[in-house]
Amino acid sequence: MILVTGGAGYIGSHTCVALAQAGHEIIVLDNLCNSRADVVGRLSRLCGQEVRFVQGDIRDGPMLDKLFATHPISAVLHFAGLKAVGESVNEPLAYYDNNVNGAVQLLDAMRRARIKTFVFSSSATVYGDPASVPISEDFPRAATSPYGRSKLMVEDILADVAHAEPEWRIARLRYFNPVGAHESGLIGENPQGVPNNLMPYVAQVASGQREYLNVWGNDYPTPDGTGVRDYIHVVDLAEGHLAALDYLHRQGGLLTVNLGTGRGFSVLDMVGAFERACGQAIAYKIAARRPGDIAACWADPSRAQELLGWQAKRGLDQMCVDAWRWQQSISRGGGG
Ligand code: NAD
Ligand code: UDP
């Protein structure tokens, strides 16, 4: 059985579906600070099994001890955490407590229970502003926000744990920009308030919830001047976790891999692709650069391909079609 922390959230829920499809039993632990309990019912439908759900916090050691004592858990996929870069600047302690202390509490409880297989949601943000693209795993790491530093710190903690106790099997997965949703339209990303990220914002413009998109800068040194990112379909990302788990079972040790497509698309490329998917124009205005943004970021995904035999399969159009289906489902009050 696999414990999925943050399994009611965006990436965790899609990974639960991939795990269940591969025949794994799962149990979700989530404190619902950024998700809703009704996701679990929809997850059970998609997984074809009653998904066990525990509402609780990864920082609650006694609860974790009980969880590990009462379920035959063999591995932990750790998605739980806070992820808003801007918020982390204003509330650094909340971020270090949730993301760093939370990971330490969880690892410590695993150690007490002698469960030593751990997959961590890291981020391309650990590369800061890269000197060049594509980005490979040996690029220097840097962080520009408390959120980014919390990811760096947990990456370092995991390396120390792997060094001290080589029987641990640990994956540090550096996600690029996850977008899209499950093709059923039953699960997806449903941010609270004004979306920070591009794709959910564009989807809300398409559904009439927002008037227009602000394109944060068109004077970057990129082909059309707007920021370029490596957008990856969340189902591909979910499948990357399965591949990483298989690798850990085969090889053990400490694995660090990028999960991206290896292709970069600009903000205007994304707007164009979404227009094709929803069949209508997306209004936008060019605005000033967003502080802290970088020009371009995309992965060198070759290590994941070599070591895991995994590569992203779903293209930009499918990302947008699936995101649009999900957005319509939210607008009808169905999902989210
Ligand atoms: P999300 O907010 O949708 O999911 C995180 C889930 O964790 C939520 O359901 C939330 O309620 C839960 N949670 C938060 N703190 C918790 C705690 N202390 N105890 C128990 N549950 C808690 O976010 P997501 O987009 O699915 O991201 C999952 C992970 O991937 C995060 O660690 C995030 O930093 C990382 N990541 C995300 C992105 C992205 O663009 N979405 C990119 C790189 C890395
Ligand atoms: N972006 C934008 N308008 C928005 C949100 C994002 O122009 O309302 C741009 C942003 O400047 C970046 C790209 O879209 O170039 C991806 O931004 P996102 O916040 O989704 O991801 P990240 O910056 O974390 O890579």
Side-chain angles (χ1 to χ4, degrees), residues 1-306:
M1 181 180 289
I2 298 186
L3 174 65
V4 183
T5 76
Y10 175 45
I11 305 169
S13 60
H14 289 81
T15 305
C16 286
V17 176
L19 287 166
Q21 276 169 353
H24 292 284
E25 261 196 288
I26 50 180
I27 179 164
V28 167
L29 171 67
D30 200 302
N31 68 1
L32 301 179
C33 71
N34 197 34
S35 51
R36 286 171 25 177
D38 58 10
V39 173
V40 180
R42 280 177 273 128
L43 258 185
S44 295
R45 265 173 74 188
L46 281 173
C47 291
Q49 61 170 263
E50 188 70 32
V51 171
R52 292 178 185 77
F53 173 66
V54 176
Q55 183 172 349
D57 197 293
I58 51 166
R59 293 163 292 184
D60 182 347
M63 180 274 298
L64 290 173
D65 287 341
K66 197 168 149 215
L67 193 67
F68 290 132
T70 48
H71 295 87
I73 294 166
S74 58
V76 176
L77 266 55
H78 177 43
F79 297 93
L82 304 178
K83 62 166 183 177
V85 175
E87 184 183 67
S88 79
V89 175
N90 298 322
E91 296 175 42
L93 292 178
Y95 274 69
Y96 291 124
D97 184 33
N98 229 294
N99 294 3
V100 182
N101 176 36
V104 171
Q105 299 285 339
L106 179 60
L107 289 162
D108 210 20
M110 287 176 67
R111 199 166 163 267
R112 289 193 293 274
R114 297 190 173 76
I115 299 164
K116 298 194 170 181
T117 301
F118 189 78
V119 177
F120 175 60
S121 300
S122 190
S123 166
T125 194
V126 300
Y127 297 115
D129 191 354
S132 62
V133 276
I135 302 170
S136 58
E137 290 83 354
D138 52 8
F139 271 35
R141 298 177 317 155
T144 50
S145 69
Y147 169 72
R149 273 185 285 281
S150 76
K151 292 291 174 194
L152 282 184
M153 286 177 192
V154 176
E155 281 205 351
D156 289 341
I157 289 168
L158 291 173
D160 289 341
V161 170
H163 178 76
E165 296 179 25
E167 68 274 19
W168 278 80
R169 298 162 186 263
I170 295 176
R172 306 186 297 185
L173 304 182
R174 295 178 178 157
Y175 311 156
F176 281 69
N177 289 54
V179 295
H182 192 268
E183 61 178 7
S184 62
L186 285 174
I187 53 171
E189 183 177 21
N190 192 5
Q192 332 246 313
V194 183
N196 287 310
N197 293 115
L198 177 65
M199 186 67 120
Y201 201 104
V202 169
Q204 291 191 4
V205 174
S207 70
Q209 241 173 294
R210 314 229 167 248
E211 210 181 330
Y212 60 86
L213 168 75
N214 284 299
V215 175
W216 305 129
N218 68 348
D219 56 353
Y220 285 104
T222 61
D224 66 16
T226 67
V228 169
R229 297 288 183 276
D230 185 337
Y231 297 95
I232 174 169
H233 196 295
V234 65
V235 175
D236 278 323
L237 189 65
E239 290 170 0
H241 289 73
L242 274 187
L245 203 54
D246 284 348
Y247 173 92
L248 290 182
H249 286 139
R250 278 195 317 274
Q251 306 281 332
L254 175 68
L255 168 75
T256 305
V257 284
N258 289 337
L259 294 181
T261 67
R263 289 197 64 183
F265 289 103
S266 74
V267 176
L268 297 182
D269 290 334
M270 296 304 285
V271 168
F274 211 93
E275 286 178 335
R276 286 196 296 281
C278 70
Q280 62 193 72
I282 306 288
Y284 68 84
K285 291 186 183 172
I286 304 296
R289 289 182 180 194
R290 184 171 66 177
D293 267 358
I294 59 175
C297 168
W298 68 87
D300 174 349
S302 53
R303 186 187 284 182
Q305 199 173 340
E306 263 166 48

